[in-house]
Amino acid sequence: MYRYLPIRKVHGRQVLDSRGNPTVEVEVTVGEGIVGVNGTTGRAMVPSGASTGTFEAVEIRDGSKRKYMGLGVEKAVSNVNTKLADAILGENALDQNAVDSLLLEADGTENKSNVGANAMLGVSMATARAAAKALKLPLFQYIGGTHAKRMPVPMMNILNGGVHANNTVDLQEFMIMPVGAENFHTGLRMCVEIYQYLKIILKEEKLSTSVGDEGGFAPDLADSREVLSYIVRAVERAGYRPKEEVAIAIDAAASELFDGEKDAYYFPGETQKKGKTVLRSGKEMVDYYKELVQEFPIVSIEDGLHEDDWDGWKHLTRELGDKIQLVGDDLFVTNIKRLRCGIKLQAANSILVKVNQIGTLSEAMDAVEMAQKAGYRAVVSHRSGETEDSFIADLAVACGAGQIKTGAPCRSDRNAKYNQLLRIEEYLGCQACFENPFAPV
């Protein structure tokens, strides 16, 4: 078995993501350099978000309106092929932490604004995949070790709103979780059936079944209560029991609703539907969530408040933290410095893990480890601008997160992750572990 596996080639290119926008793809070739041996190549594609936190690592875009409306990534690709390649050529691909440290040194900024987090992440993920292939190991096992066997419970987005859809639903994502399933493939089937029954119900009500960025349906509905009522109907119509077998999770993406001038959260969809301005203060948002949790089988709320409202998050956690999961996405941005602050303040009780928020695989793994040691849950997540790369499916199993967000079951960029998890479950066989993350210990 290899102990030293040198990086022989790094090559980046511009490809397209699920929204038809350019993104970075990287190939890293590793090998011992023996004459006649071509080496092993790993490939990775970088996702991109629409609802992005202010404190996320910076992705570099070209800005030229003549090409791709300014969204090109040729500069980032150039950085892959020059600065980042120069930094790691000849280095040991089996030492992921060392490789990622060299990438960070090549950038030299706190937020990756020099070479770009999109350039850096592509190299980091491709290195891990190349090393795994060279060792003939599944990617999840290479990253997480031989004890990696916990399959994640899907947090499946079946109804889209906010910046992910052109409709009147203000909160961004409404998801279902098969908490009563006995294994991953059964849980996935349950979610798919509910998704299809939701489509039938929306059609019966003469509502739109067009979909948003993450594949969830995007009808015009009056408010969150109406959305949740439709989801409960779909769960029951599919033959499952709300709460006991299927729970609901919400991504409010509250930073997108926050109006700094008014120091309040503006709900444009409700305003349009009700014919009067709907504003909620931070305290009113917490009260609003408490009411929804009381009325519906909600087990998780993500980004319930603005990304920099630490006092509000502390209040939200005091009020609901012992009842449901409170996930920090924009609040933590997969960054251990912000996560450490949240743990100290007892703000939220879970972290959303998005590799492109931070820029390297090692930093993402560090965030998961810090969260789990502090008793916080971790949820591995896709982005609204996804690719066919299934890397995060392996990552979720590797770090034992127990939960994954990767969209609705209707687009190949989302289903690629579900299909990879089915393969992993089959590979693990009877060793695969699947459990309700909210069950009492």
Side-chain angles (χ1 to χ4, degrees):
M1 194 61 71
Y2 301 108
R3 292 185 180 180
Y4 178 69
L5 191 63
I7 296 172
R8 295 301 182 190
K9 183 180 180 182
V10 178
H11 177 69
R13 65 173 62 89
Q14 179 173 265
V15 294
L16 299 179
D17 70 14
S18 61
R19 283 195 291 253
N21 293 329
T23 192
V24 177
E25 179 177 80
V26 178
E27 291 177 348
V28 169
T29 302
V30 299
E32 292 183 305
I34 302 171
V35 176
V37 176
N38 294 323
T40 303
T41 298
R43 178 185 296 152
M45 302 175 73
V46 179
S48 180
S51 174
T52 55
T54 304
F55 303 101
E56 290 191 25
V58 175
E59 64 173 17
I60 287 181
R61 299 280 177 175
D62 297 337
S64 171
K65 298 299 182 184
R66 295 184 297 106
K67 294 181 179 180
Y68 287 113
M69 304 175 74
L71 297 177
V73 292
E74 291 178 353
K75 291 178 183 177
V77 168
S78 176
N79 288 337
V80 168
N81 294 330
T82 55
K83 296 176 182 178
L84 298 182
D86 291 345
I88 66 169
L89 284 173
E91 297 295 328
N92 187 6
L94 299 179
D95 193 341
Q96 186 74 37
N97 284 327
V99 170
D100 287 345
S101 293
L102 290 170
L103 297 178
L104 293 171
E105 287 177 18
D107 177 84
T109 67
E110 184 74 19
N111 62 357
K112 284 79 172 180
S113 57
N114 184 1
V115 301
N118 46 347
M120 193 181 300
L121 179 62
V123 177
S124 180
M125 293 196 304
T127 299
R129 185 167 269 138
K133 286 179 66 177
L135 296 180
K136 295 181 172 57
L137 284 173
L139 180 59
F140 79 91
Q141 226 167 48
Y142 172 72
I143 297 172
T146 56
H147 292 289
K149 60 183 180 181
R150 187 181 184 189
M151 298 298 298
V153 176
M155 191 181 275
M156 185 180 283
N157 183 356
I158 63 171
L159 200 144
N160 291 183
V163 298
H164 289 174
N166 184 24
N167 63 354
T168 59
V169 177
D170 294 309
L171 302 189
Q172 189 164 276
E173 300 176 30
F174 293 84
M175 298 162 281
I176 50 174
M177 299 186 70
V179 294
E182 61 182 14
N183 50 47
F184 176 79
H185 65 267
T186 300
L188 180 62
R189 174 177 59 78
M190 291 165 64
C191 288
V192 171
E193 291 168 355
I194 293 164
Y195 178 79
Q196 299 296 350
Y197 274 108
L198 178 59
K199 183 176 184 178
I200 291 170
I201 291 169
L202 292 174
K203 281 185 173 181
E204 290 173 349
E205 299 288 342
K206 303 295 190 293
L207 290 166
S208 171
T209 55
S210 61
V211 300
D213 282 350
E214 295 180 358
F217 300 115
D220 284 331
L221 297 174
D223 54 27
S224 296
R225 282 184 170 85
E226 187 172 15
V227 173
L228 292 164
S229 295
Y230 272 102
I231 291 175
V232 169
R233 284 174 60 188
V235 170
E236 293 174 337
R237 187 112 167 233
Y240 301 112
R241 300 188 306 275
K243 191 173 183 179
E244 289 87 356
E245 293 181 297
V246 179
I248 296 175
I250 292 173
D251 175 7
S255 292
E256 301 288 344
L257 301 173
F258 186 69
D259 186 327
E261 292 183 1
K262 294 183 174 64
D263 192 29
Y265 298 85
Y266 173 58
F267 284 65
E270 283 191 44
T271 295
Q272 178 182 330
K273 284 286 189 178
K274 296 177 179 178
K276 62 179 182 179
T277 301
V278 178
L279 285 168
R280 291 184 173 94
S281 67
K283 183 181 182 304
E284 288 171 332
M285 289 290 283
V286 174
D287 291 340
Y288 179 55
Y289 296 138
K290 288 170 68 176
E291 291 171 4
L292 294 180
V293 169
Q294 184 70 28
E295 295 173 33
F296 299 96
I298 296 169
V299 294
S300 179
I301 294 177
E302 175 189 332
D303 275 356
L305 294 171
H306 185 254
E307 62 194 358
D308 226 10
D309 184 8
W310 291 102
D311 287 337
W313 272 95
K314 287 166 60 179
H315 175 58
L316 175 62
T317 307
R318 283 194 300 268
E319 293 295 311
L320 281 173
D322 62 343
K323 298 180 179 67
I324 66 168
Q325 176 173 271
L326 298 170
V327 186
D329 175 16
D330 292 348
L331 181 69
F332 295 139
V333 291
T334 319
N335 186 309
I336 60 172
K337 292 181 179 178
R338 290 186 66 84
L339 175 59
R340 186 179 292 115
C341 182
I343 293 169
K344 183 178 179 180
L345 295 173
Q346 295 185 316
N349 56 27
S350 180
I351 183 173
L352 200 73
V353 179
K354 295 174 175 174
V355 284
N356 83 313
Q357 281 183 327
I358 194 64
T360 66
L361 173 59
S362 297
E363 290 172 291
M365 293 294 285
D366 287 344
V368 174
E369 182 180 13
M370 178 180 286
Q372 291 175 336
K373 283 183 176 179
Y376 278 46
R377 296 190 184 99
V379 182
V380 171
S381 176
H382 63 167
R383 299 308 299 257
S384 54
E386 259 301 333
T387 74
E388 62 266 33
D389 194 327
S390 61
F391 193 98
I392 64 167
D394 285 81
L395 177 61
V397 180
C399 66
Q403 299 175 70
I404 189 169
K405 284 179 60 176
T406 191
C410 78
R411 295 167 58 154
S412 59
D413 45 284
R414 315 294 154 176
N415 284 335
K417 284 70 165 172
Y418 292 126
N419 290 338
Q420 177 63 1
L421 286 167
L422 289 171
R423 297 182 195 106
I424 293 172
E425 183 183 45
E426 183 182 80
Y427 177 89
L428 287 169
C430 62
Q431 297 298 313
C433 172
F434 186 83
E435 56 191 25
N436 177 4
F438 311 110
V441 177

